[in-house]
Amino acid sequence: MESKIILLLLLLLSVITPGLCDEPADNFKPVADEVDNLLAIYMIGGDLESDFQAGTYNIAEILDGYASANTSDLEIVVAYGGSKTPGWEGVTYATAEELMKDASDGVIGNEQEVSFNDPDADMGSQETLKDFLTFVNQTYPAKRTLLIFWDHGSGYEGFGLDEVYDSQLALSDIKQVLETTGTTYDFIGFDACLMGSLEVARTMEPFGKIMVASEETEPSTGWDYESWIHALSEEPDISSEEIGTIIV
């Protein structure tokens, strides 16, 4: 059978077959010309943020890696929330530029000028994920889109834990959202424990070319974002396989 998707596990490399707005709308107008690369991160902070500030730490790494980027080559949009940490309730969408302004005081979540904020959203729900993917897909046209899921993972049982609502996205939830939004991605990553399984890979297979995930548990600090985002900034045409290799 022809190989169609490459799965890059953090511990195993293998080939398998295959302004502020009030609420997101169904239709968005592009805010800029097409960029070479769009990085969309769905970051459920949960207790990783409230106990360890791990989300804030990784956002700092993201911004360090992005610092040298040409904005025509790379756009970054992060949806963060799902934590009891002040400013992390609900969900907020912020671009790298907005996050830089927010991070100027060392605290993420207290900047009013963001792309979108809903303090009552449940990040463990299909609807919140669907709204975010619809927003980035329609607002930021790109030649290549990289989608990252950030939080706890539990393999075939699902991903993420919104500690406000005590909710989790099942694999079937993610699959249904990806089917509904109708977009495929060049790269799908899980910065989460235990998501490097065949069940997860099979679920993601119709929606992406490259998947990066860990078979084992991860440290709370997660991936080293600065290194691979810097590489992407310096070489916008770097292959998705090479990005995965740098992360591994």
Side-chain angles (χ1 to χ4, degrees), residues 3 17 34 38 65 83 98 121 127 152 182 200 227 232:
S3 295
T17 56
E34 184 181 60
L38 169 64
S83 174
E98 290 166 342
E127 191 66 24
H152 293 292
V200 176
S227 62
L232 183 59

Side-chain angles (χ1 to χ4, degrees), residues 170-213:
L171 279 182
S172 59
D173 293 327
I174 298 173
K175 178 180 180 180
Q176 185 169 337
V177 169
L178 293 174
E179 289 175 339
T180 300
T181 54
T183 302
T184 57
Y185 299 90
D186 298 271
F187 181 106
I188 298 176
F190 287 92
D191 187 0
C193 297
L194 307 175
M195 298 302 287
S197 69
L198 291 178
E199 293 89 348
V200 176
R202 184 57 182 258
T203 302
M204 295 297 106
E205 181 182 5
F207 311 108
K209 300 175 182 177
I210 302 294
M211 173 178 156
V212 179

Side-chain angles (χ1 to χ4, degrees), residues 18-35:
L20 182 67
C21 55
D22 294 326
E23 61 180 83
D26 292 332
N27 296 296
F28 302 97
K29 295 181 179 180
V31 298
D33 295 332
E34 184 181 60
V35 296

Side-chain angles (χ1 to χ4, degrees), residues 54-222:
T56 295
Y57 178 84
N58 278 163
I59 287 174
E61 287 188 330
I62 291 166
L63 296 180
D64 286 341
Y66 178 77
S68 61
N70 186 322
T71 55
S72 66
D73 295 331
L74 176 62
E75 181 68 69
I76 299 177
V77 185
V78 180
Y80 67 87
S83 174
K84 295 178 181 179
T85 300
W88 284 68
E89 305 92 345
V91 67
T92 297
Y93 308 167
T95 64
E97 292 82 2
E98 290 166 342
L99 287 168
M100 284 182 178
K101 183 182 294 184
D102 192 6
S104 61
D105 61 355
V107 177
I108 297 295
N110 58 1
E111 172 61 46
Q112 295 300 309
E113 294 183 12
V114 294
S115 297
F116 171 76
N117 174 258
D118 180 357
D120 298 318
D122 174 4
M123 291 195 74
S125 73
Q126 287 190 31
E127 191 66 24
T128 303
L129 176 59
K130 179 178 74 67
D131 285 344
F132 174 61
L133 295 185
T134 301
F135 173 78
V136 296
N137 294 341
Q138 296 186 11
T139 308
Y140 296 100
K143 296 176 183 176
R144 173 171 58 179
T145 301
L146 300 89
L147 174 63
I148 308 296
F149 293 93
W150 186 105
D151 191 24
H152 293 292
S154 52
Y156 63 85
E157 292 183 352
F159 153 84
L161 182 61
D162 185 314
E163 69 172 351
V164 178
Y165 289 93
D166 194 25
S167 59
Q168 183 180 32
L169 285 163
L171 279 182
S172 59
D173 293 327
I174 298 173
K175 178 180 180 180
Q176 185 169 337
V177 169
L178 293 174
E179 289 175 339
T180 300
T181 54
T183 302
T184 57
Y185 299 90
D186 298 271
F187 181 106
I188 298 176
F190 287 92
D191 187 0
C193 297
L194 307 175
M195 298 302 287
S197 69
L198 291 178
E199 293 89 348
V200 176
R202 184 57 182 258
T203 302
M204 295 297 106
E205 181 182 5
F207 311 108
K209 300 175 182 177
I210 302 294
M211 173 178 156
V212 179
S214 175
E215 290 182 289
E216 300 292 343
T217 56
E218 291 188 357
S220 61
T221 51

